[in-house]
Amino acid sequence: MALEKPYLDIPGTTIFDADQARKGYWLNQFCMSLMKPENRARFKANERAYLDEWPMTEEQKQAVLDRDLNRCIAHGGNIYFLAKIGATDGKSFQQMAGSMTGMTEQEYRDMMLHGGRPIEGNRYIGEKK
Amino acid sequence: MARVTASVYTSHVPAIGAAMDLGKTHEPYWQPLFAGYEPSRAWMKANTPDVIFLVYNDHANAFSLDIVPTFAIGCAETFAIADEGWGPRPVPAVRGHPELAAHIAQSVIQDDFDLTIVNRMDVDHGLTVPLSLLFGKVDAWPCRVIPFPVNVVLYPVPSGRRCFQLGRALRKAIASFDAPLKVQVWGTGGMSHQLQGPRAGLINREFDMAFLDQLIADPEALSRKPHIEYVREAGSEGIELVMWLIARGAMSDSPPRVVHRFYHVPASNTAVGHLVLENT
């Protein structure tokens, strides 16, 4: 029996469940390795070579190289693991989160200062705003 | 005997820790947030407990995808500060209370909650940001801390109901510890926020307000709120709020005294909620 997933109709949201975790195991473990300063330095020195040490899929590696967090998540990444890449780049959580929304950094920051993204229109896929 | 004197609830946004570490607390962006914690800091000075049982979640720092415990209890003498990728926060190491932790583990496990015993663990912003918010910049934390990480990252996460019942078992465990300790139970994380995907930045003030009201007045009913409601209404990371129910469950059945209540948007991506409840 497949896992019950009542959350699939929430727009713009990927829940990190067992299926995602299985897909993203090595991607996320690669991210964990960036908790060590020596690994951060090796990754920065040659990203491709460092990624090739991990049994990740080519799509996962390319998504990391492109810093495309939405694609990283689609391929099984979880934001708390992916945050280690952002930390290695010196990025804040706000910059990381904003990068997934199609907004500029300033637009996202301004949205948050004005109370954040409203819930109206954002509960269900296809919901009228 | 030991007793639960109060419970404290707060968001644990990493940027709050960074603002303190980098001396930005008086900047216009941060000033209103830190002002909102001033009454609690004053209260805490007069009501410092012997031990804090601190419920939080690890953010892929102590636990990789290799092992993901649903409920874990830190039983070590000390806990080092995790390097989450930016370097460890410049805050003191955390001193545990191994005797009380072992007692709680024994009592709660025999009460049918299968805790994972952790004897070595680094603690991340989920634990250190609440301590910084309530104690400020210090050379040493003024009391012992038992870290209690809950998995709210990899689904399925525990239900609100399970968390509330665990709080009840925790209350019983603390009350049967044979030393006159004052214990506070802290529930951290939340409130509404989403850190991922095109819906990132979601804030739901109405949900948060109703959650705070119900947490104070009718936590038992609140504990029946299903996961999907947290995720849909409060964002994918808003699910952290189930952890607040552990702390609330550890309080007595009589209505608590609300010492302080505060709500502020934003801290980075997140709605910050904060409550201090005293047992009466």
Side-chain angles (χ1 to χ4, degrees):
Chain A
M1 201 177 101
L3 292 176
E4 190 195 339
K5 301 188 182 191
Y7 38 76
L8 292 179
D9 64 352
I10 304 176
T13 303
T14 305
I15 295 301
F16 189 60
D17 57 21
D19 290 334
Q20 288 300 109
R22 197 162 53 239
K23 247 198 305 192
Y25 178 77
W26 286 113
L27 167 59
N28 290 313
Q29 296 297 79
F30 143 74
C31 292
M32 286 299 283
S33 76
L34 299 178
M35 289 173 69
K36 292 202 169 84
E38 57 272 26
N39 289 343
R40 294 199 283 272
R42 281 211 302 125
F43 174 65
K44 276 176 158 161
N46 187 339
E47 297 195 1
R48 181 77 221 190
Y50 189 83
L51 286 167
D52 283 339
E53 295 172 15
W54 296 85
M56 294 158 60
T57 66
E58 187 52 36
E59 289 97 329
Q60 289 173 332
K61 290 179 191 175
Q62 199 54 53
V64 171
L65 291 169
D66 296 343
R67 300 296 193 271
D68 185 336
L69 295 183
N70 280 325
R71 256 161 64 217
C72 287
I73 287 173
H75 292 297
N78 168 268
I79 187 58
Y80 293 123
F81 292 83
L82 297 171
K84 317 300 185 214
I85 304 172
T88 302
D89 291 337
K91 293 232 188 281
S92 70
F93 251 106
Q94 184 166 65
Q95 289 170 313
M96 287 184 249
S99 80
M100 291 180 268
T101 61
M103 304 169 88
T104 66
E105 205 177 309
Q106 191 57 47
E107 285 167 351
Y108 184 82
R109 192 179 160 85
D110 287 346
M111 176 182 77
M112 295 317 300
L113 280 170
H114 291 93
R117 184 182 305 284
I119 185 67
E120 287 74 29
N122 285 311
R123 291 186 171 93
Y124 295 91
I125 289 173
E127 181 187 358
K128 284 218 177 72
K129 304 218 175 186
Chain B
M1 291 307 212
R3 66 194 171 92
V4 176
T5 53
S7 53
V8 174
Y9 309 81
T10 179
S11 308
H12 57 218
V13 184
I16 295 175
M20 288 186 67
D21 301 341
L22 301 171
K24 293 181 174 177
T25 56
H26 292 288
E27 290 184 3
Y29 183 93
W30 290 110
Q31 195 279 331
L33 181 135
F34 288 102
Y37 282 79
E38 281 306 322
S40 303
R41 282 191 187 174
W43 173 86
M44 192 60 84
K45 275 211 170 81
N47 295 277
T48 310
D50 298 301
V51 186
I52 296 166
F53 187 92
L54 206 156
V55 181
Y56 72 109
N57 64 294
D58 178 70
H59 303 77
N61 290 305
F63 304 118
S64 73
L65 278 186
D66 285 342
I67 298 177
V68 184
T70 300
F71 297 116
I73 184 165
C75 295
E77 198 75 56
T78 58
F79 301 90
I81 308 302
D83 180 347
E84 307 183 34
W86 290 270
R89 286 194 64 212
V91 294
V94 170
R95 286 182 308 149
H97 197 301
E99 297 81 10
L100 179 59
H103 171 83
I104 290 171
Q106 182 178 54
S107 172
V108 166
I109 289 171
Q110 293 189 97
D111 238 344
D112 301 335
F113 291 88
D114 307 314
L115 308 185
T116 297
I117 309 291
V118 182
N119 290 315
R120 193 180 62 161
M121 174 168 70
D122 290 356
V123 288
D124 74 9
H125 70 265
L127 182 131
T128 62
V129 167
L131 290 176
S132 293
L133 272 169
L134 274 297
F135 295 119
K137 274 193 152 177
V138 291
D139 295 328
W141 302 117
C143 60
R144 308 294 186 112
V145 179
I146 297 175
F148 192 82
V150 176
N151 168 43
V152 290
V153 173
L154 171 63
Y155 277 65
V157 309
S159 68
R161 183 101 195 114
R162 186 72 175 152
C163 289
F164 188 68
Q165 288 167 341
L166 172 58
R168 288 282 183 251
L170 178 63
R171 175 175 81 179
K172 188 172 132 195
I174 291 168
S176 64
F177 186 67
D178 197 12
L181 297 178
K182 283 181 290 182
V183 181
Q184 288 180 5
V185 183
W186 292 16
T188 73
M191 296 191 81
S192 58
H193 67 306
Q194 174 153 337
L195 301 177
Q196 49 111 356
R199 202 174 74 136
L202 186 89
I203 299 287
N204 189 342
R205 187 188 183 94
E206 213 175 307
F207 175 97
D208 291 340
M209 285 300 143
F211 184 93
L212 291 172
D213 288 343
Q214 207 176 11
L215 187 76
I216 296 167
D218 193 359
E220 180 119 43
L222 180 61
S223 76
R224 289 191 287 271
K225 187 187 285 296
H227 280 157
I228 184 67
E229 222 174 289
Y230 289 94
V231 174
R232 195 183 304 286
E233 297 291 329
S236 49
E237 279 63 49
I239 190 69
E240 289 177 348
L241 284 169
V242 295
M243 295 187 289
W244 291 30
L245 285 159
I246 297 178
R248 189 64 183 87
M251 296 286 284
S252 86
D253 291 332
S254 349
R257 188 174 84 83
V258 181
V259 175
H260 186 51
R261 173 175 173 160
F262 175 64
Y263 184 77
H264 176 78
V265 177
S268 184
N269 306 284
T270 305
V272 170
H274 173 48
L275 268 182
V276 177
L277 303 181
E278 256 178 2
N279 265 335
T280 50

